[in-house]
Amino acid sequence: MLRCWVAVLLCLNSGAIQAQAVDADARRVSLALATEPPTLHSARATDTIASFVLSHIMEGLLRYGADGELLGGVAERWQLSENGARFWLREDARWSDGKAVTAEDFVFAWQYALRPDTASQYAFIFFPIKNARAINEGQLSPSALGVRAVSPGELHVEFEQPCPYFLSLTAFMSYMPLRSDAVAQWGRRYAADADKLLFNGPFVLDKWVHGAALRLRRNPQYWDSAALRIEQIDMPYITADPGAQFNLFRDGQIALASLDTGLLDEAVKRGYEIRHFHSGSLFFLEFNFRAGRISANRHFRKAIQYVLDPDALVNKIIGLPGVLPAYSLFPVTVRGRQQSFRQEYPVSRIRPNLAVARRHLERARQELGLTDFPPLMLLAGDSPRALQEAEYYQYLLKRGLGLDLRIDQQVFKQRLEKMRRGDFDIAAAAWGPDYDDIMTFADLFASWNDNNRGRYHNPEYDRLVSEAQHSADPQRRFAAMARLQDLVVDDVPILPTYENAMLYVQHPKLRGVRRSVFGGDPNFRDAWIEP
């Protein structure tokens, strides 16, 4: 999923009225955002902040319930087979302007996302649908996509290959509907501001002061509006600094705040209930494989692999309960056939070995024809934790390998843009799951995936992903994924560092907030405020 960590400087909305964390009478809750969403265009969004907002203002065919189960969204019933899927839409599903949400709105949205000129970095997520990849590559017209509106209330989907996890895809933001007339009216400005969007979710975005604040209000046109118990969600603060968030929480201005190691003791001393949530996200170092990059050399990557110790990083640097050292492309939360995938297919761990690391580095120097290694650029976020981790990597490579690693700190939006352009040697990156299947991590470094920012290309990697994608046999799929897991350890397209967990505090009167690996987090659709 989505890059899971974000970083901006504190930006308070000085023009706003002082916030109140919760207001039971007004049914209003106030929050702090880590950063402004780079875009709220569902066909172009890629990050967790956009996912959080979109999960409240839009709704796909299916959605996630309070316990993480799939429930009907716009669709009230559905059928899934090896060859395709059928969805029957609710008659009372409405856009915020009162017009009906129709099957054609999904056909348009999916075709639009696949158009080459849309440049959606999530186009690949539609590839299970017949002709989707050929359309995205410009070989076929969008009208050839294997999806059709049989009637305003019935949608048929034809698969290119079996896709047992397709239902969970329909709850992801890229699969949300778009109204063709609205997109045509605003063109490239669609979703750039609150007044250039249509909504079909439980809330509408009625205020967006860029760089400062957002506000959501209950959508009276939403099919289940009467069941909503939150009237308004204010986001008058934008900060990724846990200290700033904690101070706002302590002062009664926001209802949720993440904790880092330094804040945990203070939260305990104040008697706050400490809550824990495993986000399912994987943090890793991503290498640049573009021509001329030193990081494209396998022995160079192996050298770093043999000096990096995820266990030391987690326990000595991060020091946050619940965060786990990472050794695999697949976090422990990924399901296997009967247990977790990692229980069924344990990963081969590489133990730190400085002598082996230095031998690999010397091989790399010889293969690259270098006398000395030039300074290398590590692209990182600008949050305090991101800097702390980057400085640890800098120290580790200097001490162990004599490499000069320079840190390029960027705010979230600029960091993503630099990764897209390939303006880095190594990037401190992260990925969270988009849907409940192992493929949400497996295809991340396939050659056709635009979120493969380092442009890693390995035919065997692609073959194993395709083998799992084209099979409905769980044993065959997971066996291919086990071989893929071994390949990642051997070829080192990335170096897993840790699996993230969140410690946070929540206002005691705020109840029913869903924390979930999938479907936008946190989610307030079923939340309420006690009197």
Side-chain angles (χ1 to χ4, degrees), residues 59-60 81 91 96 121 138 242 248 273 344 349 428 434-435 467:
E59 186 170 78
S81 69
E91 292 185 0
S96 49
Q121 294 179 42
L248 290 168
E273 178 186 356
E344 295 175 349
R349 287 177 54 176
D434 297 327
Y435 51 90
E467 180 179 336

Side-chain angles (χ1 to χ4, degrees), residues 334-352:
V334 172
R335 292 189 298 114
R337 295 181 66 188
Q338 297 176 336
Q339 306 177 73
S340 76
F341 174 81
R342 291 273 296 283
Q343 287 177 301
E344 295 175 349
Y345 300 93
V347 64
S348 299
R349 287 177 54 176
I350 297 293
R351 306 289 179 178

